[in-house]
Amino acid sequence: METKLLKAGDDILDEAAELLRSGGIAAIPTETVYGLAANAYNVEAVRSVFRAKGRPQDNPLILHISSIDMLKDIAVSIRPLALVLAENFWPGPLTMIFPRKPHVPAETCGGLDTAAVRMPRNAFTLALIEKCGFPIAAPSANTSGLPSPTSAVHVYDDMNGKIPLIIDGGECRYGVESTVVCFEDDETVRILRPGAVTPEMLREYCHVVIDSGVLEKLDSGAKVISPGMKYKHYSPSAEVYILKGSDGETANFIKTVNVNKAGFLGNGDEPLPHGVKRLRYGKTPEEQAENLFSSLREADAAGCTEVYVRMPQTEGMGLAVYNRLLRAAGFRVIDAGNCGGKDAL
Ligand code: AMP
Ligand code: MG
């Protein structure tokens, strides 16, 4: 199949809407990461998305909407708190989970009786959903397991030949997927996946519980609310390690790395020995979120066999960065000050 790469704009809205209306799929830009879009109500189209990504059938998709009316068509009931959060964070990177109506296909929702819904903040994609008139199911547009795509080129690298259309809307603003929450009661949400809508931001409106799966490794076979959390995720081919420690401890550790080519994601001014490639990361959690996935992809492109990433802070958006990194690293955290160097591990 030939894969077309088109720039987002009013001139391609009709073509993209027609493709989705006829059961086709396309990669779309959002403010979080690129999504692989299908009519959420068309089972065959949704199956094509799972196939193109190689995504496990029980990992549900997020339904992207352009109006509260669309939410009412999906959800059996909507708590007042959900409407307050929608008013304050939509369009934006917050996904909320609702009991789904029977006409929402089980396939879209990984067999669950709930549906995850969000309104994205991207002018083209919002206009596309509006034009289609149905919710768009869209997981991240990467091959399952690989780092999520934050540019159209990343999507092309994974999806060339597998999907008919990639819509290029430039670099994604946040670089990590949306915050996913479910409701404990009328005043409390549980964060299942952290994102750019941080716990601190949500606490302005409600109580917030952070699910243990956000930072802890789940036992195999454990029952989880959000199936996506049990899969190895966001990983390049290179082995990823999280480095915990001060600037000095990190610099000392990195000197002991003895491979042909290693990558390093740090704050940008650490001294690096020969053979260790500096990759973009940053000092603030926002910069780190923006750069993380593209730098992990770049590590593979550069032939790195190992990648070391400095541990982010765990407040604010740092929680989202740390959550993705733990999965990319298979939960391997090295205490740079206390391990006696790479050879001693
Ligand atoms: P992605 O589409 O790659 O952004 O991943 C979507 C995430 O949302 C995964 O972690 C899913 O497990 C989660 N998710 C989607 N729908 C639901 C749902 N109905 N209940 C719980 N989690 C969901
Ligand atoms: Mg994903």
Side-chain angles (χ1 to χ4, degrees):
M1 177 188 299
E2 195 211 336
T3 301
K4 273 207 280 190
L5 191 58
L6 299 176
K7 283 249 179 283
D10 291 348
D11 53 324
I12 65 153
L13 255 185
D14 282 331
E15 179 182 344
E18 190 43 45
L19 177 66
L20 296 180
R21 229 178 263 130
S22 64
I25 64 175
I28 53 166
T30 82
E31 79 281 32
T32 57
V33 300
Y34 274 74
L36 192 52
N39 176 351
Y41 293 161
N42 180 331
V43 174
E44 275 314 312
V46 165
R47 285 194 181 128
S48 308
V49 165
F50 278 91
R51 259 197 313 275
K53 275 183 64 80
R55 184 177 175 103
Q57 300 278 331
D58 68 345
N59 193 358
L61 310 184
I62 293 171
L63 283 74
H64 294 72
I65 59 169
S66 58
S67 68
I68 295 293
D69 277 348
M70 272 191 188
L71 173 62
K72 289 181 184 156
D73 197 45
I74 295 168
V76 173
S77 58
I78 303 169
R79 291 178 195 263
L81 175 58
L83 291 175
V84 170
L85 296 180
E87 200 174 308
N88 286 281
F89 296 109
W90 281 359
L94 177 69
T95 297
M96 294 187 268
I97 293 174
F98 300 92
R100 73 172 161 89
K101 287 185 175 164
H103 73 96
V104 180
E107 280 85 351
T108 307
C109 302
L112 300 173
D113 50 16
T114 52
V117 183
R118 91 171 182 104
M119 191 185 290
R121 185 182 280 277
N122 175 287
F124 174 87
T125 291
L126 271 180
L128 178 63
I129 302 167
E130 177 120 12
K131 183 144 223 137
C132 287
F134 47 73
I136 286 181
S140 51
N142 52 294
T143 300
S144 205
L146 296 187
S148 300
T150 58
S151 75
V153 171
H154 297 158
V155 180
Y156 191 83
D157 288 343
D158 284 15
M159 293 294 152
N160 182 25
K162 294 186 178 162
I163 62 173
L165 177 62
I166 298 169
I167 299 161
D168 182 356
E171 305 260 319
C172 298
R173 168 164 174 208
Y174 294 115
V176 289
E177 303 83 349
S178 59
T179 304
V180 178
V181 301
C182 62
F183 294 90
E184 297 276 282
D185 54 42
D186 284 333
E187 284 138 30
T188 313
V189 296
R190 172 178 292 268
I191 297 184
L192 302 176
R193 179 177 73 183
V197 173
T198 63
E200 293 82 349
M201 288 158 76
L202 288 165
R203 276 193 200 110
E204 302 258 314
Y205 305 96
C206 56
H207 301 298
V208 177
V209 178
I210 299 177
D211 195 81
S212 60
V214 165
L215 294 182
E216 284 167 27
K217 194 171 181 169
L218 295 159
D219 295 334
S220 62
K223 191 161 166 26
V224 293
I225 309 174
S226 183
M229 295 202 304
K230 68 187 180 189
Y231 295 109
K232 183 162 194 238
H233 239 125
Y234 321 117
S235 298
S237 307
E239 297 290 333
V240 179
Y241 300 90
I242 300 169
L243 268 187
K244 187 171 150 185
S246 64
D247 287 356
E249 288 165 343
T250 303
N252 279 337
F253 177 88
I254 212 80
K255 276 192 249 162
T256 69
V257 171
N258 187 20
V259 291
N260 195 16
K261 200 158 197 190
F264 180 75
L265 279 73
N267 56 32
D269 38 31
E270 299 91 345
L272 296 182
H274 183 72
V276 179
K277 182 179 168 59
R278 192 185 304 281
L279 295 160
R280 275 165 72 96
Y281 191 44
K283 291 190 167 84
T284 67
E286 287 74 20
E287 288 170 327
Q288 293 168 347
E290 206 179 319
N291 292 320
L292 177 67
F293 288 142
S294 82
S295 288
L296 291 180
R297 282 177 177 260
E298 201 184 325
D300 275 354
C304 297
T305 50
E306 296 177 1
V307 187
Y308 296 87
V309 188
R310 286 200 70 175
M311 185 168 154
Q313 62 176 65
T314 50
E315 289 86 52
M317 201 157 166
L319 186 66
V321 177
Y322 195 40
N323 168 272
R324 306 309 189 275
L325 249 183
L326 280 169
R327 279 155 183 83
F331 289 84
R332 286 179 300 212
V333 182
I334 297 172
D335 186 348
N338 268 318
C339 68
K342 179 72 199 311
D343 291 336
L345 287 176

